[in-house]
Amino acid sequence: MQRELLAAGLRAARPGGVVAYVTCSPHTVETHVTVTEAARRSGVPVDFVDARTVLPAGMPRARRSGEEPQRPGRVAIRRTGREPNP
């Protein structure tokens, strides 16, 4: 269900719009599979962007030293391209 919801969000976003996918899962592979499959299913062109550059300031950061700057469960996807012609 998560993939379908994320794919629908990507289709609903305007070109240049950003969809943030945030999860509490510590499993990076699970998050990667979910977002890449949702992007494929959406049928719209997208780019994966650094979530830190598009999410609001003050979002919780990684707590442990040595942890990745962008936590595994936080992904931002920017829709690219133009609106389809009706």
Side-chain angles (χ1 to χ4, degrees):
M1 177 180 267
Q2 290 182 18
R3 293 176 190 162
E4 289 83 8
L5 289 170
L6 183 54
L10 291 169
R11 286 189 297 273
R14 293 182 181 199
V18 174
V19 174
Y21 178 75
V22 180
T23 178
C24 59
S25 174
H27 306 290
T28 57
V29 172
E30 178 184 0
T31 300
H32 176 74
V33 169
T34 298
V35 297
T36 54
E37 181 61 17
R40 186 190 68 76
R41 289 182 185 187
S42 74
V44 297
V46 299
D47 286 330
F48 293 92
V49 296
D50 185 346
R52 295 170 295 175
T53 64
V54 294
L55 293 177
M59 291 285 292
R61 297 182 185 267
R63 291 182 224 159
R64 297 185 302 253
S65 64
E67 198 170 16
E68 296 177 21
Q70 180 176 334
R71 291 183 9 190
R74 190 180 299 163
V75 179
I77 308 167
R78 183 182 316 276
R79 180 167 171 187
T80 60
R82 295 180 287 150
E83 289 287 347
N85 292 329

